[in-house]
């Protein structure tokens, strides 16, 4: 049976049809991801424009509180301070200081990411002035925990070195059971005696390459289809030339 003016060859067709389907599926999936990412960005931007509200007490859905301006009040437990490997906005090596806060405005605890310190100031003794005591009020942005990447080392609990934001692991290490699995990143308005940790480090850089990926996959569909047709056209012309028949 002839299709598009030529008779399809078996093996090229058996390869091309599944490949075209796969490319179409991948392209469509990237389009779906594009709309999902745009909705996520819009949701985050809308949430960040809202006025700060007290973080609710009791169980809450962290997903619904991602990137929301909140306030919490309470006292820090500096004995369970966590050191999360991070770089400053200028690329300097250091750590984010994450400290449990015993809430006085509601029952329970919350993990507060107090800010960034350079590597030489990881030891709390070098920044004793910043280890504030008593009740404090923190305003900041809620932030979901994140998992381990392909090349991310395991968190080293013995050395208190954390390579990714494992809120559940931190709460377990501190012996805390009544806290949501999220972080409150202190914003730049939170001033610390001595200057360290330096707050206001929340970054809202959403990678959105889905449109480029979709164009790539759909372009693959066009290129593969053109190659398939041209290969058959050439094969038919060569066969016609050998048999002495007029070219198609």
């Amino acid at each position: 049976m002839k299709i598009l003016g030529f008779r399809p060859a078996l093996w090229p067709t058996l390869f091309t049809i599944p490949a075209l389907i796969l490319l179409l599926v991948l392209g469509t999936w990237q389009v779906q991801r594009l709309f999902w990412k745009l909705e996520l960005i819009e949701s985050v931007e809308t949430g960040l424009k809202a006025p700060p509200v007290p973080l609710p007490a009791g169980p809450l859905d962290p997903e619904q509180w991602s990137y929301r301006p909140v306030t919490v009040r309470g006292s820090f437990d500096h004995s369970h301070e966590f050191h999360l490997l991070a770089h400053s906005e200028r690329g300097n090596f250091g750590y984010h200081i994450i400290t449990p806060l015993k809430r006085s405005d509601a029952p329970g605890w919350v993990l507060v990411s107090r800010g960034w310190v350079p590597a030489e100031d990881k030891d709390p003794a070098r920044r004793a002035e910043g280890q504030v005591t008593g009740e404090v009020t923190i305003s900041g942005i809620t932030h979901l925990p994140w998992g381990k990447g392909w090349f991310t080392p395991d968190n080293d609990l013995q050395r208190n070195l954390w390579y990714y934001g494992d809120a559940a692991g931190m709460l377990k290490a501190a012996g805390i059971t009544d806290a949501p699995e999220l972080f409150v990143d202190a914003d730049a308005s939170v001033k610390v005696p001595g200057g360290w940790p330096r707050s206001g480090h929340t970054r809202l850089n959403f990678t959105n390459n889905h449109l480029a990926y979709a164009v790539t996959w759909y372009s693959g569909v066009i290129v593969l289809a053109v190659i398939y047709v041209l290969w058959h056209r050439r094969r038919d012309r060569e066969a016609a030339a050998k048999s002495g028949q007029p070219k198609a």
Side-chain angles (χ1 to χ4, degrees), residues 33-77:
R33 294 280 294 174
L34 170 64
F35 285 111
W36 168 80
K37 182 62 69 68
L38 291 175
E39 290 178 0
L40 173 64
I41 294 173
E42 182 180 3
S43 175
V44 169
E45 291 178 345
T46 300
L48 290 175
K49 293 177 183 177
V53 297
L55 186 69
L60 55 84
D61 182 1
E63 291 286 347
Q64 294 183 356
W65 283 87
S66 178
Y67 295 111
R68 296 280 298 276
V70 300
T71 59
V72 290
R73 189 170 68 251
S75 302
F76 286 118
D77 176 12

Side-chain angles (χ1 to χ4, degrees), residues 57-136:
L60 55 84
D61 182 1
E63 291 286 347
Q64 294 183 356
W65 283 87
S66 178
Y67 295 111
R68 296 280 298 276
V70 300
T71 59
V72 290
R73 189 170 68 251
S75 302
F76 286 118
D77 176 12
H78 296 293
S79 66
H80 288 109
E81 173 182 285
F82 301 106
H83 305 143
L84 176 65
L85 183 67
H87 291 82
S88 70
E89 292 184 356
R90 296 183 179 180
N92 298 318
F93 174 74
Y95 300 88
H96 286 160
I97 303 302
I98 299 176
T99 309
L101 181 82
K102 176 62 176 176
R103 299 184 65 177
S104 58
D105 59 346
W109 295 73
V110 65
L111 291 172
V112 175
S113 184
R114 300 184 61 207
W116 181 86
V117 299
E120 60 269 22
D121 289 321
K122 178 169 72 72
D123 184 355
R126 290 181 55 87
R127 45 183 170 81
E129 189 178 357
Q131 302 297 85
V132 293
T133 59
E135 187 176 78
V136 295

Side-chain angles (χ1 to χ4, degrees), residues 225-246:
V226 169
I227 291 173
Y228 178 78
V229 172
L230 292 179
W231 184 87
H232 280 86
R233 293 289 191 186
R234 179 178 178 182
R235 184 202 59 168
D236 290 349
R237 285 197 300 268
E238 292 176 349
K242 289 179 181 180
S243 64
Q245 298 176 359

Side-chain angles (χ1 to χ4, degrees), residues 184-207:
V184 174
D185 294 348
D187 62 29
S189 69
V190 179
K191 304 302 181 182
V192 179
W196 304 112
R198 182 173 296 163
S199 58
H201 61 80
T202 304
R203 299 179 183 179
L204 302 176
N205 297 323
F206 291 98
T207 302

